[in-house]
């Protein structure tokens, strides 16, 4: 079964350092999402890509976070500088984008996530 | 007020019990609805989509009430393996639009 790949699985860093997370979506999925999930809460959307274009980054703290998906396939999320409050699970998801799939194209498939601890 | 609200629980039920979760949403233009399951320290996985006419998958039944803006999930004959957090997801449109997750309802099924 195809999976969304994320790396690293765990990251420990000190505040003010830079961190980067990588995601490779399921092959052929045009839509890619980055979420942040704090313990006890649901995933919060940070950025959504359609192919290589950003379609929603309204909740992305742009002073320190950046995301790119240059070739419309894999994606990188960066934080610089990291702050204590950034400690969370960062989840990547992808979904198909085919007009004849109805609701199915909104189904999201998640990677295992990157657990970030900022000390 | 959050866009998608769920009772956080926890719900503690014995094996074999029937349990129901509700989820309310504030955007009346929402188009598609889902229930995801998330095991402890794992990623969310789709449990089932929610259709306007209601739908059933084995022991799980999902209902949508557009007039009152809520969706529900009913689990019959609970199993130990049903213990997880159940996330309600509301999507703004049919074109891979923005999805908003609730904070989840935690279920623990006990022997």
């Amino acid at each position: 079964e195809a999976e969304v790949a994320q790396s690293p699985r765990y990251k420990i860093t000190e505040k003010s350092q830079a961190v980067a997370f990588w995601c490779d979506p399921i092959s052929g999925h045009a839509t890619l999402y980055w979420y942040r999930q704090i313990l006890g809460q649901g995933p919060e959307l940070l950025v959504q890509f359609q192919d290589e274009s950003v379609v929603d980054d309204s909740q992305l703290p742009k002073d320190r976070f950046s995301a790119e998906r240059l070739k419309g396939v894999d994606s990188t999320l960066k934080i610089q500088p990291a702050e204590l409050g950034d400690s969370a699970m960062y989840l990547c998801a992808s979904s198909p984008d085919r007009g004849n799939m109805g609701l199915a194209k909104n189904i999201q498939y998640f990677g295992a996530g990157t657990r970030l601890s900022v000390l | 007020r959050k866009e998608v609200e769920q009772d956080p629980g926890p719900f503690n039920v014995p094996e074999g019990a029937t349990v129901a979760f509700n989820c309310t949403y504030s955007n009346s233009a929402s188009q598609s609805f889902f229930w995801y399951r998330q095991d402890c320290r794992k990623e969310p996985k789709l449990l089932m989509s929610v259709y306007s006419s209601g739908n059933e998958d084995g022991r799980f039944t999902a209902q949508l009430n557009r007039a009152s803006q809520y969706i529900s999930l009913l689990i019959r004959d609970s199993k130990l393996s049903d213990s997880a957090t159940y996330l309600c997801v509301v999507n703004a449109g049919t074109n891979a639009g923005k999805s908003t997750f609730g904070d989840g309802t935690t279920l623990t099924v006990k022997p």
Side-chain angles (χ1 to χ4, degrees), chain B residues 15-105:
Chain B
E15 270 187 295
T18 296
V19 61
F21 309 137
N22 284 333
C23 167
T24 59
Y25 60 95
S26 59
N27 184 357
S28 59
S30 298
Q31 295 288 330
S32 52
F33 310 87
F34 306 88
W35 284 102
Y36 280 70
R37 171 195 169 125
Q38 186 171 28
D39 292 304
C40 188
R41 304 181 80 83
K42 299 284 190 179
E43 72 274 20
K45 292 185 178 180
L46 178 72
L47 178 65
M48 57 197 304
S49 304
V50 186
Y51 300 106
S52 296
S53 55
N55 49 301
E56 187 174 308
D57 182 3
R59 299 181 292 108
F60 298 83
T61 300
Q63 297 277 356
L64 167 64
N65 185 319
R66 286 189 182 271
S68 300
Q69 294 182 207
Y70 78 82
I71 67 174
S72 64
L73 177 68
L74 181 76
I75 305 175
R76 290 182 300 277
D77 188 23
S78 299
K79 310 291 184 190
L80 296 176
S81 57
D82 293 334
S83 298
T85 296
Y86 292 84
L87 298 164
C88 168
V89 184
V90 175
N91 191 284
T94 54
N95 294 315
K98 178 182 177 180
S99 293
T100 302
F101 285 70
D103 286 337
T105 297

Side-chain angles (χ1 to χ4, degrees), chain A residues 37-59:
Chain A
Q37 186 174 25
I38 296 169
L39 195 62
Q41 298 181 18
E44 174 195 22
L45 180 69
L46 293 175
V47 61
Q48 178 179 340
F49 290 92
Q50 184 80 15
D51 300 309
E52 68 276 8
S53 300
V54 174
V55 296
D56 189 336
D57 63 355
S58 56
Q59 300 302 310

